[in-house]
Amino acid sequence: MATTDKKILVTGSAGFVGMYVAKALLDQGHQVLGIDNFSDYYDVTLKEQRNAVLASYSNFRVARLSIDDMASFAPVWEDFAPDIVIHLAAQAGVRYSIDHPETYVASNLVGSFNVLELARRTRPVHLLAASTSSLYGGNTVMPFRETDQCATPLTFYAATKGATELMGHSYAHLFGVPMTFFRFFTVYGPWGRPDMALFKFTRAIIKGEAIDVYNRGEMVRDFTYVEDLAEAVVRLMAAIPGSTPVSPADSLSAVAPFRVINIGQGDPVKLLDYIAAIEAAVGKRAIMNLLPLQPGEVLRTEASTNLLQALIGYTPSTPVSIGVPQFVAWYRAHYGC
């Protein structure tokens, strides 16, 4: 494929990851159609501001609609006729899914089904879709590998993402649409979601308010800086699943042009060290409420990045010592504090 001037549809373009992926594509000269319903799950103003960044490009346009509304979605998709689709739209939030599971059915299941159906009809060269490291659930063998069994999700959010992977595999097998599902590992950085730990902790520490730290901070996460993740997603567009594995550890299906792949750094960080990096960037100590482990929470995540490296020759590498200060600087500038 040529590296520029492809027609690429990005669902969830006003989201955190969606903005960075769409911007990277626009910088390469692609035509990008963003799809987003600007839901009020969190501050819509932040989504509008992200969209404004993208709207400054002449090769971008956005359609404001919900992907679970096929009557609105189908004509926009078919009129654009994308060469590549990057499906990032979803109801996010691990903890929110515990109390509001019904909200995950429309976007994550019905909406993703609509994406698959439209891909079946229009046959893009490659369909790429976001999954989650939460899918590894109760697995305890580290690092998490794409070929591991993922039969123990701990939240309904993770379950819906696992179901989407399975639906995608069936469509790839039945209709021959090449698909790559990427499992994101704790993405962070400027323009991040207000419901995520980095945003909440930074805001609270600046204000001198306490932060809730679960399992008394005895957790470890594979943090992935958002610009690194977007770079990996864009590079993966050219890694179209075929019939030949790239390594013995390849997750490539034996019966479909379908692959799952981790996007993480493979260098997990203790939660208390992450908080210390925020404290250093803010210049204030955190007041911590040390609490028990929450339902649905996992103690550790760690990505195997061998397959990602084999496919694109690249893995995320920005350490939290650099990424966290970048977020804090953005937060202070954006909110004037």
Side-chain angles (χ1 to χ4, degrees), residues 245-316:
V246 298
S247 75
D250 198 344
S251 62
L252 182 69
S253 170
V255 294
F258 178 93
R259 173 185 281 125
V260 295
I261 185 161
N262 294 333
I263 303 183
Q265 189 155 321
D267 186 18
V269 175
K270 294 178 180 178
L271 178 58
L272 291 178
D273 290 343
Y274 190 63
I275 293 171
I278 303 170
E279 292 174 321
V282 171
K284 290 176 67 175
R285 294 295 301 273
I287 304 166
M288 290 188 272
N289 292 329
L290 300 178
L291 301 171
L293 188 68
Q294 279 196 316
E297 197 72 81
V298 299
L299 294 177
R300 180 184 179 95
T301 64
E302 181 181 353
S304 169
T305 59
N306 293 338
L307 180 55
L308 184 65
Q309 180 67 34
L311 283 169
I312 62 173
Y314 174 86
T315 55

Side-chain angles (χ1 to χ4, degrees), residues 146-306:
E146 293 89 347
T147 52
D148 292 345
Q149 290 292 321
C150 293
T152 56
L154 301 184
T155 64
F156 189 63
Y157 164 70
T160 62
K161 286 296 192 175
T164 301
E165 286 189 13
L166 294 173
M167 293 192 303
H169 182 273
S170 70
Y171 267 63
H173 168 71
L174 291 169
F175 307 115
V177 178
M179 297 187 195
T180 298
F181 276 70
F182 17 72
R183 295 171 179 167
F184 294 157
F185 281 72
T186 316
V187 190
Y188 75 101
W191 294 100
R193 296 200 329 256
D195 63 321
M196 296 190 73
L198 179 56
F199 200 111
K200 293 193 293 185
F201 289 176
T202 299
R203 178 173 54 201
I205 293 170
I206 288 173
K207 292 182 177 181
E209 299 172 352
I211 61 174
D212 291 338
V213 181
Y214 295 98
N215 204 45
R216 304 183 64 83
E218 295 298 319
M219 289 189 285
V220 177
R221 289 290 180 272
D222 196 339
F223 293 101
T224 313
Y225 191 61
V226 65
E227 289 186 356
D228 292 354
L229 180 135
E231 175 72 17
V233 169
V234 171
R235 291 191 185 205
L236 281 167
M237 292 192 308
I240 301 173
S243 58
T244 306
V246 298
S247 75
D250 198 344
S251 62
L252 182 69
S253 170
V255 294
F258 178 93
R259 173 185 281 125
V260 295
I261 185 161
N262 294 333
I263 303 183
Q265 189 155 321
D267 186 18
V269 175
K270 294 178 180 178
L271 178 58
L272 291 178
D273 290 343
Y274 190 63
I275 293 171
I278 303 170
E279 292 174 321
V282 171
K284 290 176 67 175
R285 294 295 301 273
I287 304 166
M288 290 188 272
N289 292 329
L290 300 178
L291 301 171
L293 188 68
Q294 279 196 316
E297 197 72 81
V298 299
L299 294 177
R300 180 184 179 95
T301 64
E302 181 181 353
S304 169
T305 59
N306 293 338

Side-chain angles (χ1 to χ4, degrees), residues 54-78:
L54 303 178
S56 66
Y57 289 80
S58 61
N59 48 330
F60 175 79
R61 66 183 179 92
V62 66
R64 295 170 179 259
L65 58 89
S66 295
I67 61 171
D68 58 297
D69 179 4
M70 190 62 143
S72 299
F73 190 19
V76 171
W77 174 309
E78 290 168 346

